[in-house]
Amino acid sequence: MGDLVRFIIEFLLYRNKEAVQWVGYTEDESNWQQYKVVIVPCGQLGKRLVMPDLTEPHPERIGDTWVIRTDLVYNTFFFISRAEEILVRERDEHDRFLARHSLLGEGERLMTPLIDEWGKMLLKLLGLPMPKQQPSAIYLTHDVDSIARYHCIKGFLGGVKRGRYQQAIAAFRDIKQDPDYTFPWLIKQDATLSQMPYPVYPLYFMKDTIGYGFDYPQYNLDGHDFHYLAFKLMKAGAQIGWHSSYYNAFSRRPNVAINYSFHRSHFLRCSLEWMEQISHQGVMHDYSMGFADRAGFRLQTARPVQWINPYTYEITSMVLHPLILMDVTLSEDRYMGLNQEDAFTVCKTLIDKSWQMGGEPNLLWHNSNFGEESYHRTLYPDLLEYIQQKTLLTK
């Protein structure tokens, strides 16, 4: 457990390797004086899983040592490993663990990354500088569930059947007229953040599935439309990642345009078993770790962190990038069902909190959700403008 404890304390301390030696993790009072801060363990790390104590920690001064009797090490492990999903077996109809199943619930707890708050408290007790209140990176991610709605025979016939003759005919003739082909506009929007003083990464997740059921439709990865789109995205500086199937975490076959080390699961279906599979397949960066039903900090951190397998306690090489915002989470009635004004307020709050913690805002907007009937056509540019203005104010 020594390596695991050190890893967690170092993460809490914003990866300050030198300061780790000043933090003890022991209930043996005879050893407390050798540390500047002591976290008293609850005795469960590596033994059995229990729900963490989330009461606010109150450091106590004993001699020259600050003593914290809330087990911040175990609590951090609990959230970044997703051990909670072993204890709570409730799932939705898509076998997803939702915010309403979680200890965090659907309210204010999701809006604040507790792990980062604990980390800042430790830094303060140690007399170390606070992290910079600016993002380490910004990820503008887009799940491409459909390249085009009507630019194929099946889609065209479906559009005609639903009475959308003119739109279906125009899109069938020219993919750029298709309501789902919003990529030129989306590339232009994301480019407004290209001159930020910190890294901004446009990232598109492309499906590689067999195309039935909840994976429908699967676009032709060997076809002209896909290759033309991939060329345009890469020319614009975007990365193309892997959007794995609803049904399993295995790729059908390699595609030269898709970087399979970057991953997000379709429908955000990311069970622990799923995570074990993709970590063994060479996925180095996963962007699935958000709740489908509520925006917020599922990992209770705004910062990327290596996944710890809660079954084996292995610190894997796969980095989890916290997903804090998704378009359908905000707008769909089955989830938060917010109007545009309230959605914008939630987005600003989460971006601000991630910013304050030196995190990396990871945003997900689908290319197919920018139709004229959706408020995301104006909400998304407004968010990008907010980030620009926030950058200017915090320089």
Side-chain angles (χ1 to χ4, degrees), residues 29-164:
E29 296 184 25
S30 65
N31 290 327
W32 288 359
Q33 71 277 6
Q34 63 183 290
Y35 300 107
K36 294 182 179 181
V37 174
V38 166
I39 299 170
V40 180
C42 66
Q44 306 306 330
L45 185 64
K47 295 180 180 178
R48 69 188 184 97
L49 295 177
V50 296
M51 287 294 182
D53 173 14
L54 295 184
T55 56
E56 185 178 352
H58 293 285
E60 173 188 0
R61 189 74 167 179
I62 299 179
D64 294 329
T65 304
W66 287 104
V67 177
I68 301 170
R69 299 186 187 275
T70 301
D71 192 343
L72 304 183
V73 173
Y74 176 79
N75 292 0
T76 299
F77 162 79
F78 185 83
F79 287 114
I80 64 176
S81 71
R82 300 310 306 145
E84 178 180 27
E85 297 174 36
I86 298 175
L87 293 179
V88 183
R89 302 309 302 176
E90 191 176 359
R91 302 292 187 271
D92 76 346
E93 67 273 20
H94 298 294
D95 196 33
R96 296 179 300 190
F97 187 80
L98 301 180
R100 67 170 183 262
H101 306 144
S102 171
L103 173 67
L104 300 170
E106 301 172 87
E108 288 303 310
R109 270 186 174 170
L110 267 177
M111 304 297 285
T112 299
L114 283 176
I115 292 172
D116 301 331
E117 294 278 14
W118 299 332
K120 291 175 73 173
M121 179 190 69
L122 291 175
L123 292 174
K124 184 176 180 180
L125 292 176
L126 292 169
L128 295 172
M130 291 293 107
K132 291 182 179 180
Q133 293 195 22
Q134 66 179 46
S136 57
I138 293 178
Y139 286 94
L140 306 176
T141 75
H142 309 288
D143 289 359
V144 183
D145 295 339
S146 165
I147 289 180
R149 196 176 307 177
Y150 304 124
H151 193 67
C152 64
I153 292 295
K154 190 173 182 178
F156 168 73
L157 293 176
V160 170
K161 186 177 180 180
R162 291 190 296 274
R164 298 174 181 173

Side-chain angles (χ1 to χ4, degrees), residues 139 141 201 203 205 261-265 268 283-290 319-323 360 362 364:
Y139 286 94
T141 75
Y201 300 109
L203 183 52
F205 291 98
S261 67
F262 294 84
H263 170 268
R264 178 178 286 137
S265 56
L268 298 186
V283 169
M284 299 301 294
H285 299 273
D286 179 77
Y287 297 81
S288 310
M289 201 46 62
V319 176
L320 304 180
H321 296 263
L323 173 61
E360 49 166 49
N362 175 11
L364 164 54

Side-chain angles (χ1 to χ4, degrees), residues 220-375:
N220 182 5
L221 296 180
D222 294 322
H224 172 268
D225 292 341
F226 172 79
H227 285 288
Y228 177 76
L229 173 59
F231 170 76
K232 287 293 185 181
L233 293 177
M234 289 187 284
K235 185 178 179 181
Q239 180 72 251
I240 298 176
W242 171 38
H243 202 30
S244 63
S245 167
Y246 176 95
Y247 299 98
N248 60 63
F250 296 98
S251 167
R252 282 197 301 137
R253 56 189 173 78
N255 184 284
V256 293
I258 298 176
N259 185 340
Y260 287 87
S261 67
F262 294 84
H263 170 268
R264 178 178 286 137
S265 56
H266 194 29
F267 274 67
L268 298 186
R269 297 183 82 233
C270 45
S271 66
L272 294 174
E273 293 72 23
W274 201 279
M275 292 165 72
E276 282 187 310
Q277 289 180 30
I278 62 172
S279 67
H280 292 148
Q281 289 188 71
V283 169
M284 299 301 294
H285 299 273
D286 179 77
Y287 297 81
S288 310
M289 201 46 62
F291 288 123
D293 60 330
R294 286 294 182 274
F297 297 97
R298 179 174 181 171
L299 292 174
Q300 284 298 281
T301 180
R303 297 174 288 141
V305 61
Q306 287 170 255
W307 179 53
I308 301 168
N309 188 321
Y311 295 111
T312 65
Y313 297 94
E314 173 197 3
I315 304 168
T316 72
S317 58
M318 183 172 71
V319 176
L320 304 180
H321 296 263
L323 173 61
I324 62 171
L325 289 166
M326 180 168 68
D327 49 4
V328 294
T329 301
L330 298 167
S331 58
E332 289 198 4
D333 290 339
R334 59 181 171 147
Y335 298 140
M336 296 180 79
L338 301 175
N339 60 35
Q340 183 172 346
E341 182 179 357
D342 290 341
F344 188 48
T345 299
V346 168
C347 292
K348 289 192 296 183
T349 300
L350 290 170
I351 290 171
D352 287 351
K353 187 62 70 170
S354 182
W355 207 284
Q356 293 164 13
M357 300 301 173
E360 49 166 49
N362 175 11
L363 318 181
L364 164 54
W365 260 258
H366 295 75
N367 65 289
S368 52
N369 271 357
F370 291 112
E372 298 298 333
E373 71 284 356
S374 169
Y375 68 58

Side-chain angles (χ1 to χ4, degrees), residues 201-218:
Y201 300 109
L203 183 52
Y204 290 75
F205 291 98
M206 296 287 195
K207 285 162 57 178
D208 182 5
T209 73
I210 56 177
Y212 66 81
F214 287 107
D215 281 338
Y216 178 81
Q218 174 60 52

